[in-house]
Structure formats: C-alpha cells, structure tokens
Amino acid sequence: MSVRGTPRGPARTALANRRLLERLRLLCECGAGLEAVAAPACAIVRDLVGARSASIFWLDRHGAPAGFFHDCAPAELKDLFVTRFDELFSSPGEFNMVTYTRPVGPPIGQMLTESGHAAFRASNVYKHLCVPLGHHHGLEMRIEHAGRGVGVLVLWNEAGRPFTAADVAVAEPTRRLLERALEAERPDVVWRSQGSRTAHYITDVSGQDLMAINAEAEEMLNRGHLLGQNVPMARRPRAAPAFSRRLAEMLANGAPAELHLPVIDGRLAVRASPSSRLVEGGDDEPQMFVSVDVEVAADVLAVERLSALPLTLLQKQIALFAAQGGLRADCEDRFGVSQEALKKHLSTIYDATGVSGWSGLRENVLAGAGEEAPARPSPAPSPAWRTTLSLGLSLLPAVF
C-alpha cells in the first residue's frame, strides 16, 4: 500500500502549519486558477490535516468530468478512472466524485456520516480504486464557484483511522482558500513553456484518426490527467485526442488552431497546422500536424520562490504584487499599510531577494521562477475551469 502525508502531532509545530497555510493562501490568490495549483494544494491540505493521501477532481463548464489528480495512485489505476469512468463510476446511484460536487448538503464532511460512509463503501470507487490503495476513510470538501460545485478535494486514510470533527475544523479554512483560487483567477496570467518544443502528433484532416505520435507528446498527454479526451495514462494512445476534432474545425474555418486545456500544475497548449504525406503514384495526402506543450503559470513559480524566503505573509504578498507588475503607490490601499511601515517591509524584502528597489523585484522574483523560459500571456479572458473542452467523442482506431 502506498502511503503519503505527515501526521499531525508534536512533530508538527504551529509555525510549520502556519507556513503551510500561508503558502496555500499565496498559491490560491496568485491568479493562476485551481488546476494550476492542484498538486501542491493537495499536499498542503493533506499535511495540515495529517491525512495519508489526497486527491482532487473538477468539472468543466458543462458540469462534465474534466480532470483529476491523486498523489499516490499508480498509472494503471488512474488509467482505469480515465478510460472506464462512464462504465464503472457514473451509473445512476453510483457514488463518485461528481456526487460530491453537487451543491446539496454541507460542503464538507458528508463522508463522515453513517449514510455517506456506507454509500462510499458500497461504490465502485471504493472497490476498484480505494481498496487497492488502502483508502478506507474519506473526508471530502466541495469547491464551489458562482453558486455551483465545480470540484472536490478528498483526503484519505487507511482502515482504523477515521476522520473526525477536529479534522473538519482544520480542513474548512483550506476549502475556502481553494474557492478563492477560482475567484482570483486573472486573464493576464503569463505562462511559461516546460516542454522541449518537439512534442507532436499527426492526424488526418478531420482530427479523427491518429496517424503518428512521438514519445514526448505521448508522455505529456499521459501526464495530463485528462478526462473525456480519449487520452489514456498507462498505455500508448490508440486514438486521436478528442480535442483534435476541434482543432481541425478551426483550421478548416481559417481560424488560428490553438487550444489550452487545464491540466495538473498548469495547462496543455496544443497548436495545429496543415501538413501532408507523400503518397506514391498519387496526390499528397493532407494531414494535420499538432504540437503539444506543457505550460506553467509564472505566478505559481514566483509563489514557490517567495515561500522559501524568510519573509512574513504580508511581505510575500507585497513582493508578489510587485512581481506581477503592481505599483508601489497602490500598496497603502491594497495592503492597509502606512508609508513608514511599507518602507520597513520593503527593506526586509529587498534584503531577502537581493535587489535595491521596487522595479528589481519583478526581475528578481520572476528570474528565480524561470524568467529565462519563453513567456506567453494567456489569450483567454475566462477562468481555466470554464474553458475546458468536453467533446464526448467515441474511441476510434489509430493507424501507425
């Protein structure tokens, strides 16, 4: 059995817990959205509560399953969740992650009730996913935005370690911070490439048939934790990803064929262009070439850089504000500090970051967060969870 997490107790100090909560607050308020901070958020909430494991699941704007993350499940179990979700985990009356995204009942702790625990133990989620992992007790927290449930984070414990009301009290503030990640999402987030720029695959002009895929693209797609996109996690793709059909339609209409799909810790950037294949004794066969890249938010990288510095939460917030292009003149109103107090805070910030003035903070913090990587401002004005594609295409055979 895989176990994760750090139990609470004497070994965990109040200062350590406070720093974890401060880091989660910075991540959730940096503007990058929920998916971009999903993995570290799971780790932080897990460690604060002292759970053994954590997972997160979210929906697209149509309310359909879109993505997930589990901190210790092997690829084979994740693949079961991705490729057989409709078959095993979404039948009427079946307990699943969608169940707890519905804005019905308390937003946290329904699995702790007798009926909630019984429904969980009778489910395929428990039988096929939780039993192999040793997950016998769960504590779920619903993530809401604009009056509807859009995701759920679940903490897991082994047999004999049920969650308690005290665990709920510790987890509740983190649930509110996760909702803040959706409220604070900004359209001007800068994204940085993490790929080699060589990842690609080729389809027919309809985006339906997968003709070829290289190892780099295969790895990026497998790591994406994408639901409803014909993308397995433990084996080679045998069909074109479902979003390829949309790229083909954009190309056919003369529009720029580029999409961004929220994935764990960032987004998947896919860009299509016309291509062709030489056919002996005939005309060239038109195809579609799709490049694949994984991008992370510079704001998230900046938070991680600042979290390692000996600064207070307020000082980290001020430094992040500067790194994001904020004006020093706005600090008094934004953070409720006087000019004299701001000078003292900035003196400490400058010492910790090694810069001599406000303008140097953006360069220093972002440089520490990978400034050398090419940056791309996000073109989408709407939050990432609302732009996830859900095309519902059926699996199609691939030709290699």
Side-chain angles (χ1 to χ4, degrees), residues 89-107:
F89 308 120
S90 64
S91 59
E94 168 68 22
F95 164 90
N96 56 45
M97 296 299 100
V98 178
T99 303
Y100 286 120
T101 63
R102 296 168 185 153
V104 178

Side-chain angles (χ1 to χ4, degrees), residues 5-28:
T6 305
R8 287 185 292 123
R12 290 200 58 80
T13 66
L15 177 60
N17 285 336
R18 189 186 76 193
R19 286 175 174 168
L20 281 175
L21 202 56
E22 288 179 353
R23 179 173 165 233
L24 181 61
R25 179 174 176 178
L26 286 170
L27 286 168
C28 291

Side-chain angles (χ1 to χ4, degrees), residues 32 80 118 131 151 159 163 179 186 219 223 270 302 304 357 398:
L80 186 68
V131 169
F163 292 97
E179 293 182 340
R186 301 178 2 255
E219 180 183 2
R223 291 202 321 258
V270 290
E304 299 296 18

Side-chain angles (χ1 to χ4, degrees), residues 380-399:
S382 55
W385 69 266
R386 284 183 273 180
T387 58
T388 304
L389 297 175
S390 180
L391 303 182
L393 299 182
S394 59
L395 290 173
L396 298 168
V399 178

Side-chain angles (χ1 to χ4, degrees), residues 312-333:
T312 66
L313 173 62
L314 176 59
Q315 289 163 355
K316 292 172 185 175
Q317 289 173 319
I318 292 171
L320 181 61
F321 179 62
Q324 292 175 325
L327 301 177
R328 174 175 170 166
D330 293 335
C331 285
E332 289 182 72
D333 291 336

Side-chain angles (χ1 to χ4, degrees), residues 23 63 71 97 146 156 160 162 167 172 183 239 261 263 291 352 365:
R23 179 173 165 233
D71 61 7
M97 296 299 100
W156 305 101
D167 295 322
E172 172 60 17
E183 298 166 1
L261 292 85
V263 295
S291 66
V365 173

